[in-house]
Amino acid sequence: MNRFARMWDSDIAWSFRHSPVAIVATVVALIIILAAVLAPWIAPYNPFDSRSLNLMDGFTPPNVPNQFTGNTYLMGTDNQGRDIFSTILYGARISLFVGFAAVVFAMVLGIGLGLLAGWRGGWVDSLLMRIADVQLSFPSILIALLIFGVARGFIPPSMREEVAIWVLIVSIGLSDWVQYARVVRGAAMVEKSKEYVQAARVIGVHPARIVLRHILPNVMGPVLVIATIGLALAIIAEATLSFLGVGVPPTQPSLGTLIRIGQQYLFSGEWWILLFPSIALLLLALSVNLLGDWLRDALNPRLR
Amino acid sequence: MTDALLSVRNLRVEFPTRRGVLTAIDDVSFDIMPGEVLGVVGESGAGKSLTGAAIIGLLEPPGRIAGGEILLKGQRIDNLGAEAMRRIRGKRIGMVFQDPLTSLNPIYTVAQQLIETIRTHADISEGEARKRAVALLDRVGIPAAARRIDDYPHHFSGGMRQRVVIALALCAEPELVIADEPTTALDVSVQSQIIDLIKEICAERGAAVMLITHDMGVIAETADRVAVLYSGRLAEIGPVTQVITAPEHPYTVGLMGSIPTLTQDHARLVAIPGAMPRLNAIPQGCAFNPRCERAFDRCFTERPEPLPRGDRRRVACWLYDEVATAGQEKAHV
Amino acid sequence: MLAYIIRRIAQSVLVMLVVALVSFALFRFVGDPINSMVGQEATIADRELLRDQLGLNDPFLSQFATFVVRAAQGNFGISYRLQQPVMELILSRLPATLELALVSGILAFVFGVGFGVYTALRRNGWLSNTIMTVSLIGVSLPTFLIGVLLIWIFAVELQWLPSFGRGDVVNVGGWPTGLLTPSGRASLVLPAITLGLYQMTLIMRLVRAEMLEVLRTDYIKFARARGLSNRAVNFGHALKNTMVPVITITGLQLGSIIAFAIITETVFQWPGVGALFINSVRFVDVPVMAAYLMLIALVFVIINLIVDLLYYAVDPRLRVDRAATRH
């Protein structure tokens, strides 16, 4: 059987094919991701281009021509005249970008530190694990906020907008590296004491090689689960920070920002500003989370 | 037979899995007389523990009894409702598990666990239950029982803990005790003590024992009769001395040959070539045929039924179907 | 036992010192305190004078020591933004947050354990599956979104409950509580649900997972084999064993509720320390940020300590000293 056929026939693939939840979740997630990536091409307007915005277009209900400009918007416009549909697409794009980048950052950092701790042991391990323990007991949102605040203090106001996204990525990533580190450290310690590793060391194989070829493949399963759930958490974190006003800059609204604006105008009746971004965020977070959940169950031999 | 305490007839245990139904126990029948010690022997995966679990009604889903009957003193117990079965457990059938380390709840004292069990099955006061518990603990060989009864499980050593487990299994005075590998997790020095204890204490109470183990030595010392399981099927069953000194099923022969003894002189131990087949790959006909030196055509097509071979002895092997194979055997050699 | 307590307290003090260091570093190095305090017209000479007066030119360690001493007395200086003593600000807003945290914590625990046990015992019923699905949504929905949607449904559309603020508050011995007035209680409902929902789903999933693990153990099997009733097995044995790790983790969650309050307070304009903190991040009001950090750390450390001691009391296996004196 060739590799593809074997993969198709494997337990994971079987479980996937027979779990309607996993299939639906993946499809939904893929649609959103695709739409977000292709935003510049599918979106009818570019909401990030402040010069193209017309305040008179603001507060237009969905599918109803604006009383001043006569423009029609699929999901209406927000208070600044941005087309909600386009903003959702562009916003999702940012959310996904930040999410993925933060996860990659956390993964690289976590795996790196985990390998270091597990391989070296001794005081390096103790120190890192102490830090990890302390950090774990604080909610990640707090850590992200703190890092954001500190970064803000150092960056002059003029540069804040440009750097905002990167600060966001770093702060979310830094708040989430611990789980990867723990898993990898555990695996590293287990493998380290195995005989083939000791043999390799005696021969003089470079530790990096041992680590990469033997330890890393063993942890990819759990790391993948953590990463998927981590992605959902990162997306939610970004939305939350943007909602609180400390995330993306106001001229580049993400889903969180839109929801914030939406809340402000709830009482005055412009419900569409809140509804559509909420649904979009919910679908995105839910589908990624479901996928992560299913993945974890599928990879856990004990639950079968 | 109507005097049998436990009667297992054509028991079939199945596990529905995504890739099809696995038959873990296939048409197994045997009886246990009151006060008798039946050893159930076989490799890992042969179905011994499952048989015990099926009898006491603790099969883990998705496993289920798919056929046959289990009778306790002539009454069916395999089809009872949950509550009725619960009342039988402990009171009429007791069970001892393998690992004393994990069999006891770590956050309750031994006293609490004993008293709870005693009072579940007998309507007596706590003081009275405690008295019985201390007496029982003393009987199983725990020194200073009255004081140690208030200790937690982790305060006892492995062997002591298994004694506590035995006390717990017997405190409601069951008629049948199923012991599933009771000594496998213990030090060798302690094993024989525990086995002796089980045998004595059950004999005192007139309780029958179904001793599940993979250790033939234990069976030889303790059991009255022995049943040999292979791939979920009964290979051979009979009085212990007969089966051990004159085994008939080729698998049993192989088992005996692979046990080192002090008395006999073995040039080398005989290992049975090959391995027991996986549940989803059981060959047609006799399950042992790939590994059997004496297999012939019939063995590959028809599954052998247990054939009577004397007083309460049966062997599931076509070699012993004297009527049909008499001629064939001579031709085959 | 005493040695254990002393050791734990020593550890806690160490952690607090480390946090103090971080706080202090924040205080000292993020932004320029001088710039935030004087206007733009102040001359360089004036700034230098101020810097000296404030002790900003002293060696690092002495500044840190001063900081720690002052912090222990509750003196965190003056908020850049609001020009009021930080401690005063925090203390005035703390009761609001604590009340909210307590109410939602209790709700989360009660419902979390209840649902967790139910879905563990009735694994495959339709109600269990529904609860599990809803719980998944609960975990996927960001807290702020839950809050906003709740406001929409219950405050805007149905108009049953207020959408912001604390309602009327009664002073009980210096503690302003909203529990004694109808409007206070009504105002508490939506924020408490919002804050508690995430915690509830976490606790529920934890209890369920733990209980399922426990139900699979040998001692549960043995308990069943002894004919113990379902009730005795599920609640007397399984649940009690489950609660041991659950209590630990739930206790730790309590601390994070206080931190999560940041979001809920922002959504509902609840006058608590969380909202104060967010604004301080936005405006880089360092004294407030530093003080909040220390406060949260203190809360966490105390909770951790209590939980550790509780664990010790509940799980007999940890009481090594008693066993050692036996055989």
Side-chain angles (χ1 to χ4, degrees):
Chain A
M1 268 206 276
N2 67 3
R3 284 187 80 188
F4 207 54
R6 251 189 300 144
M7 246 179 40
W8 189 251
D9 211 19
S10 73
D11 270 348
I12 286 220
W14 187 98
S15 172
F16 185 80
R17 274 179 285 144
H18 287 252
S19 164
V21 169
I23 298 181
V24 169
T26 315
V27 167
V28 169
L30 281 177
I31 292 180
I32 297 180
I33 294 179
L34 213 58
V37 165
L38 295 176
W41 293 277
I42 358 178
Y45 301 88
N46 181 350
F48 290 177
D49 185 3
S50 4
R51 289 164 300 167
S52 72
L53 296 178
N54 185 349
L55 273 179
M56 302 297 273
D57 270 325
F59 301 114
T60 319
N63 266 327
V64 169
N66 180 292
Q67 55 184 124
F68 300 113
T69 62
N71 293 327
T72 313
Y73 301 93
L74 180 63
M75 293 182 183
T77 58
D78 70 0
N79 60 337
Q80 304 223 339
R82 281 183 282 240
D83 172 31
I84 300 269
F85 180 58
S86 309
T87 317
I88 289 181
L89 287 176
Y90 274 84
R93 196 152 186 255
I94 292 196
S95 297
L96 281 166
F97 177 68
V98 168
F100 272 108
V103 165
V104 168
F105 181 70
M107 198 158 44
V108 168
L109 184 65
I111 293 184
L113 288 179
L115 283 175
L116 187 65
W119 186 257
R120 283 301 191 79
W123 67 270
V124 171
D125 180 31
S126 302
L127 181 66
L128 280 172
M129 283 305 110
R130 234 35 204 98
I131 297 178
D133 278 342
V134 169
Q135 185 172 336
L136 254 196
S137 52
F138 284 79
S140 52
I141 203 89
L142 195 57
I143 298 174
L145 272 172
L146 207 64
I147 296 175
F148 192 87
V150 168
R152 235 188 186 194
F154 281 112
I155 302 174
S158 52
M159 281 187 52
R160 278 186 195 161
E161 240 191 62
E162 291 159 31
V163 193
I165 301 247
W166 299 104
V167 172
L168 205 52
I169 293 176
V170 168
S171 57
I172 296 179
L174 267 178
S175 67
D176 212 22
W177 62 272
V178 177
Q179 282 198 300
Y180 301 99
R182 278 209 166 158
V183 164
V184 170
R185 169 187 179 262
M189 297 187 104
V190 164
E191 296 296 309
K192 186 172 72 166
S193 56
K194 288 197 180 158
E195 286 167 352
Y196 75 87
V197 168
Q198 295 180 351
R201 287 174 98 169
V202 164
I203 301 179
V205 177
H206 194 273
R209 220 183 116 111
I210 304 180
V211 155
L212 285 173
R213 282 202 70 198
H214 297 287
I215 301 182
L216 225 42
N218 278 336
V219 293
M220 283 333 268
V223 161
L224 199 61
V225 174
I226 298 176
T228 316
I229 300 187
L231 181 62
L233 289 176
I235 292 176
I236 293 181
E238 181 273 321
T240 306
L241 290 173
S242 300
F243 175 83
L244 291 173
V246 292
V248 292
T251 51
Q252 294 180 337
S254 79
L255 297 172
T257 326
L258 273 180
I259 295 177
R260 176 197 186 79
I261 301 176
Q263 185 194 7
Q264 288 170 348
Y265 294 103
L266 252 188
F267 274 105
S268 48
E270 282 93 11
W271 53 270
W272 56 91
I273 309 181
L274 177 61
L275 182 66
F276 297 114
S278 301
I279 295 181
L281 184 61
L282 176 60
L283 282 178
L284 185 56
L286 193 60
S287 59
V288 178
N289 231 333
L290 278 174
L291 204 53
D293 230 35
W294 165 84
L295 198 62
R296 180 184 42 201
D297 283 350
L299 284 177
N300 184 349
R302 288 189 291 167
L303 280 184
R304 277 279 137 242
Chain B
M1 284 191 272
T2 46
D3 338 312
L5 172 64
L6 180 77
S7 197
V8 174
R9 300 198 188 147
N10 309 104
L11 180 64
R12 220 180 129 80
V13 170
E14 283 178 357
F15 278 87
T17 68
R18 331 176 244 198
R19 293 177 201 248
V21 171
L22 295 179
T23 309
I25 297 179
D26 198 350
D27 200 11
V28 166
S29 307
F30 59 85
D31 289 337
I32 303 184
M33 289 297 166
E36 175 177 50
V37 177
L38 174 74
V40 177
V41 116
E43 300 175 36
S44 304
K48 337 184 274 296
S49 296
L50 278 178
T51 311
I55 293 174
I56 200 170
L58 283 181
L59 273 179
E60 301 236 340
R64 59 199 184 91
I65 298 182
E69 299 178 337
I70 302 177
L71 299 111
L72 189 62
K73 278 218 170 115
Q75 282 180 307
R76 276 190 77 170
I77 59 172
D78 56 294
N79 59 355
L80 288 180
E83 180 58 20
M85 195 65 212
R86 179 191 76 77
R87 267 179 263 141
I88 291 186
R89 280 188 226 122
K91 182 119 188 78
R92 301 189 65 197
I93 305 181
M95 191 153 180
V96 172
F97 291 97
Q98 173 176 327
D99 193 353
L101 210 71
T102 54
S103 290
L104 297 172
N105 194 334
I107 65 178
Y108 285 121
T109 62
V110 168
Q112 286 167 321
Q113 301 190 50
L114 270 169
I115 294 176
E116 179 187 27
T117 311
I118 294 177
R119 293 185 79 199
T120 303
H121 295 284
D123 193 10
I124 57 178
S125 73
E126 179 154 343
E128 178 62 34
R130 194 186 163 89
K131 264 194 256 164
R132 286 197 203 174
V134 173
L136 190 53
L137 222 51
D138 189 47
R139 173 63 193 86
V140 295
I142 306 278
R147 187 167 55 88
R148 303 226 46 200
I149 197 174
D150 288 314
D151 280 344
Y152 286 94
H154 63 275
H155 292 152
F156 292 84
S157 68
M160 289 288 152
R161 239 176 285 177
Q162 195 65 314
R163 292 175 192 263
V164 171
V165 166
I166 292 172
L168 270 167
L170 284 149
C171 65
E173 313 278 328
E175 304 152 53
L176 169 68
V177 172
I178 304 177
D180 190 352
E181 310 257 16
T183 54
T184 310
L186 299 173
D187 288 339
V188 177
S189 52
V190 169
Q191 281 179 9
S192 63
Q193 291 175 19
I194 298 293
I195 287 292
D196 287 342
L197 173 65
I198 293 179
K199 185 159 187 184
E200 282 168 20
I201 198 169
C202 289
E204 269 170 34
R205 283 162 171 69
V209 179
M210 179 173 156
L211 183 56
I212 299 173
T213 177
H214 59 267
D215 188 341
M216 262 316 218
V218 163
I219 298 285
E221 297 259 323
T222 331
D224 301 319
R225 291 168 72 228
V226 61
V228 178
L229 288 183
Y230 186 79
S231 274
R233 301 164 181 196
L234 188 65
E236 184 164 2
I237 182 171
V240 126
T241 31
Q242 289 181 27
V243 174
I244 288 191
T245 52
E248 295 193 340
H249 193 287
Y251 176 61
T252 324
V253 174
L255 273 186
M256 295 305 138
S258 60
I259 300 175
T261 63
L262 287 176
T263 48
Q264 269 180 279
D265 207 11
H266 293 262
R268 47 189 313 192
L269 294 177
V270 179
I272 314 175
M276 198 171 70
R278 296 175 61 174
L279 283 181
N280 55 1
I282 298 183
Q284 212 196 3
C286 173
F288 192 59
N289 63 37
R291 307 165 77 186
C292 184
E293 299 178 320
R294 304 173 67 185
F296 53 95
D297 341 353
R298 195 173 179 201
C299 303
F300 293 89
T301 51
E302 269 182 78
R303 180 189 157 173
E305 320 146 4
L307 304 163
R309 294 287 299 160
D311 173 38
R312 301 189 70 205
R313 185 159 189 203
R314 284 176 290 145
V315 181
C317 180
W318 290 131
L319 286 170
Y320 300 94
D321 190 6
E322 287 136 355
V323 176
T325 61
Q328 274 197 337
E329 253 239 67
K330 292 199 182 115
H332 190 76
V333 173
Chain C
M1 170 95 175
L2 195 59
Y4 184 69
I5 297 182
I6 294 182
R7 234 183 326 136
R8 285 297 284 109
I9 294 185
Q11 275 178 356
S12 310
V13 170
L14 189 63
V15 171
M16 283 310 292
L17 276 176
V18 169
V19 176
L21 190 61
V22 173
S23 272
F24 171 68
L26 244 154
F27 218 157
R28 182 70 189 77
F29 297 112
V30 176
D32 190 357
I34 301 293
N35 275 334
S36 316
M37 281 196 278
V38 304
Q40 287 186 321
E41 316 87 43
T43 63
I44 298 187
D46 283 341
R47 288 169 201 253
E48 270 312 303
L49 195 59
L50 197 51
R51 212 178 280 274
D52 229 22
Q53 276 180 340
L54 288 174
L56 292 173
N57 283 333
D58 293 343
F60 185 87
L61 269 180
S62 84
Q63 285 193 49
F64 181 47
T66 323
F67 176 80
V68 171
V69 167
R70 286 212 192 118
Q73 293 169 340
N75 178 0
F76 282 95
I78 305 212
S79 149
Y80 295 163
R81 186 171 63 98
L82 296 170
Q83 297 298 312
Q84 279 178 294
V86 174
M87 218 26 169
E88 232 176 67
L89 278 171
I90 289 187
L91 284 178
S92 68
R93 302 170 82 109
L94 200 54
T97 302
L98 285 179
E99 225 172 63
L100 180 59
L102 213 62
V103 171
S104 44
I106 294 177
L107 276 179
F109 186 77
V110 166
F111 283 99
V113 171
F115 283 139
V117 170
Y118 180 79
T119 50
L121 292 179
R122 297 235 181 290
R123 267 191 90 174
N124 295 314
W126 67 269
L127 189 57
S128 282
N129 284 328
T130 315
I131 294 178
M132 287 306 288
T133 315
V134 170
S135 88
L136 192 55
I137 298 184
V139 169
S140 314
L141 270 182
T143 310
F144 73 88
L145 194 54
I146 297 177
V148 171
L149 289 176
L150 280 178
I151 290 182
W152 191 359
I153 299 177
F154 290 101
V156 179
E157 298 296 320
L158 293 174
Q159 305 216 341
W160 286 351
L161 295 164
S163 68
F164 67 92
R166 241 185 125 185
D168 296 319
V169 149
V170 169
N171 231 305
V172 174
W175 179 283
T177 172
L179 293 169
L180 297 176
T181 63
S183 75
R185 283 192 292 264
S187 302
L188 204 51
V189 174
L190 290 181
I193 296 180
T194 307
L195 188 55
L197 198 67
Y198 186 69
Q199 310 300 327
M200 187 202 86
T201 40
L202 278 183
I203 294 178
M204 182 186 96
R205 295 174 127 218
L206 179 67
V207 167
R208 179 175 188 263
E210 276 298 318
M211 195 145 179
L212 284 177
E213 273 288 317
V214 166
L215 284 172
R216 243 200 297 262
T217 55
D218 274 351
Y219 58 81
I220 293 292
K221 241 201 307 176
F222 190 32
R224 290 225 174 92
R226 304 201 301 271
L228 297 182
S229 72
N230 262 340
R231 198 150 168 252
V233 171
N234 287 331
F235 293 97
H237 288 258
L239 185 58
K240 196 158 176 222
N241 280 78
T242 307
M243 286 320 278
V244 172
V246 166
I247 287 182
T248 322
I249 302 191
T250 307
L252 298 173
Q253 288 295 341
L254 203 57
S256 75
I257 286 191
I258 297 186
F260 261 97
I262 298 176
I263 304 172
T264 311
E265 287 180 15
T266 309
V267 173
F268 289 93
Q269 294 173 56
W270 190 265
V273 291
L276 184 66
F277 179 65
I278 266 292
N279 285 324
S280 74
V281 169
R282 276 219 212 98
F283 294 100
V284 198
D285 188 354
V286 178
V288 176
M289 277 170 70
Y292 184 82
L293 188 63
M294 298 279 304
L295 179 71
I296 290 288
L298 186 66
V299 168
F300 269 91
V301 156
I302 292 181
I303 289 182
N304 264 328
L305 197 62
I306 295 181
V307 166
D308 270 350
L309 293 177
L310 238 143
Y311 210 161
Y312 192 83
V314 170
D315 188 342
R317 280 171 290 186
L318 294 175
R319 300 181 209 155
V320 187
D321 38 326
R322 254 216 266 161
T325 58
R326 293 270 193 198
H327 37 197

